[in-house]
């Protein structure tokens, strides 16, 4: 049996042993207590473990309000309070980490600036269970309310702790928390629940930026991207790729930074189909096209439209030709359910069914093509070009945040002999129409899209019917030349069509895309 006097000395030595490290960051001293190796590791890797998180914290305005959800032992909570003089509200439900979090607050004399709560944030509130990955100070990958791992797959827990959770919206609405300017969320798989319980708060323009750890392999996390985009935030694909873990069990997981769009940037929220592939390269290509488009001249008669020649680089246009579907890979437009008739128009829609008929190489190419065509950079850039003509329609369908939900609607087209479509205006849900001419040469230049004006000056059409040619005056035909784009904002006067193709053995390749209003 241990001698009581010796044991008392050991306990006293343990009580007096209070290891800590003082870091100096840009001349500012930060103290972190290190009672075990896990805590020491967190201190040693602070600048390198999540460099984008450090950069994001440094970008905060001095004195801002930070909400740290999943604060663990307080590495970033303390950093923000000391380096950026932030007022921090930190949430950490795990008992061991919560104790060290408070010890770090005390060591830096921040109790008047930092408030820590032994609670979780989620989409509901009440008593719950916290399933720990291990009962150890500085550990992570715990799960609130479900016995799962960071990937949301079932996992046995060696220890279960009681916990309490709240929703951010409820706490803010009751005056328990102020509106934060910045929000950091790292809760090992349950980020989507935290954000689901914060919708009203996130809609407040005082929330400027959010950094959230996301796993693109979890469908609920991909929905987070949609939610935050709908609420007026934007992110950089380049930043996301840089932050993603490249090896190990967390491969692909990373910190996504979302920043509030300015009023000028918030033209439209763009919804993207699953078949397209968006990368930093596709975003850059979209921006380069928009820069090129800024030099276009918009012709206002008989309705606003613009023609752009040499749209794509020569090498890229050659790839378009090489990967364009054969007629055998396409189906008549009438079989898509979009319209009746027009069996001479073969199409491939940018959807799973349309792409299923393509080869792997074709799917890859057109998926990347759609990456820039459907990108927010391209669609918002085009809308801005035509903003004087579409602004009123955008305002009519704008929601709480003052911007409309839109999406692209692209299809590859092969028109055959006898195809023709009478003068018409596009359906009311279309905002801007693109007609990318994709012939190999200029042999069929006379079969471009024609522009018309009604012989009755007072005639207009809200969209839909195709009229007979004799009721309209043919103003001009945009020659069907390689690498040429005709685009125009849809209106009740944007009458266009195609004169009947009478020549035999005609194949007219083009890509049609429409920016559609999703709220109509």
């Amino acid at each position: 049996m241990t001698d009581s006097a010796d044991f008392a000395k050991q306990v006293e030595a343990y009580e007096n042993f209070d290891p800590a490290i003082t870091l100096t960051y840009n001349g500012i001293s930060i103290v972190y207590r290190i009672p075990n190796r896990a805590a020491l590791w967190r201190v040693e890797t602070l600048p390198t473990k999540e460099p984008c998180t450090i950069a994001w914290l440094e970008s905060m305005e001095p004195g801002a309000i930070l909400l740290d959800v999943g604060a663990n032992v307080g590495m970033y909570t303390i950093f923000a309070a000391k380096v950026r003089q932030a007022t921090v509200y930190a949430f950490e439900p795990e008992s061991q980490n919560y104790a060290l979090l408070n010890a770090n607050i005390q060591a830096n004399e921040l109790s008047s600036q930092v408030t820590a709560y032994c609670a979780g944030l989620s989409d509901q509130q009440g008593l719950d269970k916290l399933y720990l990955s291990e009962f150890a100070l500085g550990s992570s990958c715990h799960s609130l309310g479900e016995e799962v791992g960071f990937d949301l797959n079932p996992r046995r827990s060696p220890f279960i702790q009681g916990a309490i959770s709240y929703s951010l919206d409820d706490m803010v609405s009751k005056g328990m928390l102020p509106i934060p300017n910045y929000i950091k969320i790292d809760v090992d798989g349950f980020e989507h629940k935290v954000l689901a319980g914060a919708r009203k708060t996130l809609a407040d323009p005082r929330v400027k930026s959010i950094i959230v750890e996301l796993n693109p392999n979890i469908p609920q996390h991909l929905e987070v991207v949609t939610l935050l985009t709908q609420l007026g935030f934007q992110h950089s694909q380049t930043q996301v790729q840089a932050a993603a873990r490249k090896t190990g069990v967390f491969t692909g997981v990373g910190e996504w930074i979302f920043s509030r769009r300015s009023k000028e940037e918030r033209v439209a929220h763009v919804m993207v189909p699953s078949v397209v592939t968006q990368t930093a390269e596709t975003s850059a290509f979209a921006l380069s096209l928009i820069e090129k488009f800024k030099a276009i001249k918009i012709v206002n008669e008989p309705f606003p439209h613009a023609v752009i020649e040499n749209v794509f680089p020569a090498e890229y246009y050659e790839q378009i030709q090489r990967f364009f579907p054969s007629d055998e890979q396409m189906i008549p437009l009438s079989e898509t359910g979009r319209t009746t008739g027009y069996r001479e128009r073969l199409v491939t829609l940018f959807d799973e069914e349309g792409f299923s008929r393509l080869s792997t190489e074709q799917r890859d190419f057109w998926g990347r093509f759609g990456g820039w065509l459907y990108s927010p950079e391209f669609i918002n850039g085009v809308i801005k070009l035509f903003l004087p003509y579409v602004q009123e329609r955008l305002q009519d369908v704008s929601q709480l945040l003052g911007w409309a939900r839109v999406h692209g609607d692209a299809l590859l087209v092969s028109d055959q002999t006898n195809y023709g479509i009478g003068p018409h205006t596009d359906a009311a849900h279309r905002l801007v129409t693109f007609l990318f001419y994709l012939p190999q040469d200029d042999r069929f230049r006379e079969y471009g899209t024609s522009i018309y004006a009604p012989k009755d000056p007072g005639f207009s059409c809200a969209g839909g019917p195709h009229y007979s040619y004799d009721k309209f005056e043919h103003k001009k035909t945009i020659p069907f030349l390689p690498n040429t784009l005709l685009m125009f904002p849809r209106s009740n006067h944007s009458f266009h069509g195609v004169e009947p193709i009478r020549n035999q053995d005609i194949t007219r390749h083009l890509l049609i895309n429409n920016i559609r209003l999703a709220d109509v």
Side-chain angles (χ1 to χ4, degrees):
M1 187 171 183
T2 304
D3 181 84
S4 60
D6 289 342
F7 188 72
K9 289 181 180 179
Q10 293 176 25
V11 171
E12 182 180 2
Y14 177 79
E15 289 177 337
N16 292 330
F17 185 62
D18 187 17
I21 290 179
T22 299
L23 297 181
T24 301
Y25 193 91
N26 293 339
I28 299 171
S29 296
I30 311 173
V31 180
Y32 291 109
R33 287 199 163 99
I34 49 169
N36 65 3
R37 285 177 294 174
L40 175 61
W41 174 81
R42 290 191 177 279
V43 174
E44 291 176 334
T45 60
L46 178 63
T48 58
K49 178 175 177 285
E50 295 180 14
C52 64
T53 300
I54 294 294
W56 180 78
L57 292 170
E58 286 186 315
S59 72
M60 294 194 314
E61 298 173 357
I65 299 173
L66 169 66
L67 176 67
D68 190 354
V69 186
N72 199 273
V73 300
M75 302 305 300
Y76 300 117
T77 289
I78 304 303
F79 183 94
K82 294 284 285 189
V83 175
R84 303 309 295 165
Q85 301 81 51
T87 296
V88 187
Y89 296 88
F91 284 78
E92 176 53 53
E94 200 278 328
S95 60
Q96 304 293 297
N97 292 337
Y98 178 70
L100 186 53
L101 166 60
N102 278 282
N104 285 327
I105 295 171
Q106 187 273 335
N108 289 276
E109 301 180 346
L110 291 172
S111 61
S112 63
Q113 191 178 336
V114 178
T115 305
Y117 297 95
C118 192
L121 289 187
S122 187
D123 56 352
Q124 55 189 347
Q125 63 182 43
L127 296 177
D128 215 324
K129 293 181 179 180
L130 185 68
Y131 297 89
L132 274 58
S133 62
E134 60 177 323
F135 187 72
L137 196 153
S139 60
S140 60
C141 293
H142 313 309
S143 56
L144 182 64
E146 296 181 52
E147 197 169 7
V148 296
F150 73 93
D151 54 4
L152 302 189
N153 289 321
R155 178 203 66 187
R156 293 303 299 272
S157 174
F159 186 80
I160 304 171
Q161 174 202 308
I164 189 169
S165 64
Y166 299 91
S167 75
L168 179 58
D169 282 345
D170 188 62
M171 297 188 76
V172 169
S173 67
K174 292 179 178 178
M176 300 166 67
L177 285 178
I179 296 287
N181 306 122
Y182 298 87
I183 301 176
K184 170 188 162 290
I185 306 174
D186 184 355
V187 291
D188 299 311
F190 288 88
E191 287 78 5
H192 60 289
K193 289 191 174 184
V194 176
L195 291 164
R199 289 172 180 263
K200 293 180 181 178
T201 303
L202 297 173
D204 192 298
R206 285 173 287 183
V207 181
K208 298 180 179 180
S209 184
I210 304 164
I211 186 168
V212 53
E213 185 176 84
L214 294 178
N215 183 347
N217 298 311
I218 298 176
Q220 297 94 319
H221 283 204
L222 296 179
E223 292 171 5
V224 162
V225 180
T226 300
L227 170 65
L228 292 177
T229 306
Q230 291 175 343
L231 288 169
F233 293 90
Q234 61 187 356
H235 68 280
S236 163
Q237 193 65 35
T238 302
Q239 179 273 314
V240 169
Q241 289 179 332
R245 312 295 190 269
K246 304 301 187 292
T247 59
V249 296
F250 294 99
T251 298
V253 178
E255 294 70 43
W256 293 48
I257 296 174
F258 294 86
S259 301
R260 176 81 64 185
R261 290 189 185 92
S262 68
K263 185 177 180 180
E264 291 72 25
E265 293 171 320
R266 235 180 295 152
V267 178
H269 158 55
V270 180
M271 298 183 295
V272 181
S274 60
V275 295
V276 307
T277 305
Q278 294 188 313
T279 64
E281 289 73 22
T282 59
S283 295
F285 187 75
L287 291 172
S288 69
L289 284 180
I290 291 301
E291 283 300 312
K292 183 175 184 177
F293 290 1
K294 288 179 180 178
I296 65 173
K297 178 183 178 182
I298 297 177
V299 179
N300 286 298
E301 294 297 332
F303 58 83
H305 63 279
V307 177
I308 304 171
E309 299 176 345
N310 299 315
V311 179
F312 305 114
E315 182 179 350
Y316 192 58
Y317 191 73
E318 290 176 3
Q319 290 181 305
I320 292 173
Q321 297 294 316
R322 184 163 71 252
F323 294 115
F324 199 92
S326 66
D327 288 351
E328 291 72 23
Q329 292 175 300
M330 309 175 88
I331 61 173
L333 179 62
S334 57
E335 293 183 12
T336 66
R338 295 187 170 205
T339 186
T340 57
Y342 301 108
R343 295 195 62 82
E344 299 85 5
R345 166 159 282 187
L346 305 179
V347 301
T348 294
L349 303 183
F350 273 60
D351 60 19
E352 294 289 352
E353 183 180 353
F355 275 33
S356 69
R357 289 183 286 272
L358 304 181
S359 69
T360 300
E361 285 187 324
Q362 287 174 311
R363 286 196 301 270
D364 180 63
F365 176 79
W366 291 111
R368 286 182 283 110
F369 188 100
W372 65 260
L373 187 68
Y374 282 82
S375 70
E377 292 86 356
F378 181 75
I379 290 181
N380 275 298
V382 170
I383 290 175
K384 289 176 184 178
L385 291 176
F386 289 112
L387 196 57
Y389 308 100
V390 300
Q391 191 165 22
E392 184 175 345
R393 295 186 63 210
L394 285 173
Q395 290 172 345
D396 286 344
V397 298
S398 294
Q399 302 299 309
L400 175 65
L401 294 173
W403 44 270
R405 295 169 65 241
V406 304
H407 63 91
D409 179 34
L411 57 159
L412 297 166
V413 174
S414 177
D415 290 332
Q416 312 291 304
T417 300
N418 294 325
Y419 177 77
I421 184 169
H424 64 283
T425 61
D426 287 328
H429 55 245
R430 296 181 181 179
L431 193 68
V432 179
T433 293
F434 307 82
L435 300 169
F436 291 94
Y437 292 174
L438 305 177
Q440 294 182 345
D441 50 47
D442 62 358
R443 286 177 298 164
F444 308 130
R445 59 180 300 136
E446 71 268 26
Y447 292 122
T449 295
S450 295
I451 289 174
Y452 305 92
K455 293 178 178 178
D456 176 0
F459 182 75
S460 65
C461 179
H466 300 161
Y467 298 96
S468 61
Y469 299 96
D470 59 2
K471 296 182 181 297
F472 290 80
E473 180 182 352
H474 177 269
K475 290 294 185 179
K476 62 181 175 181
T477 295
I478 309 302
F480 193 68
L481 298 175
N483 208 2
T484 299
L485 167 63
L486 165 64
M487 61 180 179
F488 53 87
R490 185 259 165 224
S491 73
N492 289 352
H493 301 90
S494 55
F495 290 100
H496 61 287
V498 177
E499 298 287 313
I501 299 174
R502 300 305 184 196
N503 286 12
Q504 295 299 309
D505 301 321
I506 295 292
T507 300
R508 180 177 180 264
H509 286 177
L510 67 156
L511 182 143
I512 300 175
N513 184 45
N514 297 284
I515 298 176
R516 289 188 170 200
L517 292 166
D519 297 300
V520 174

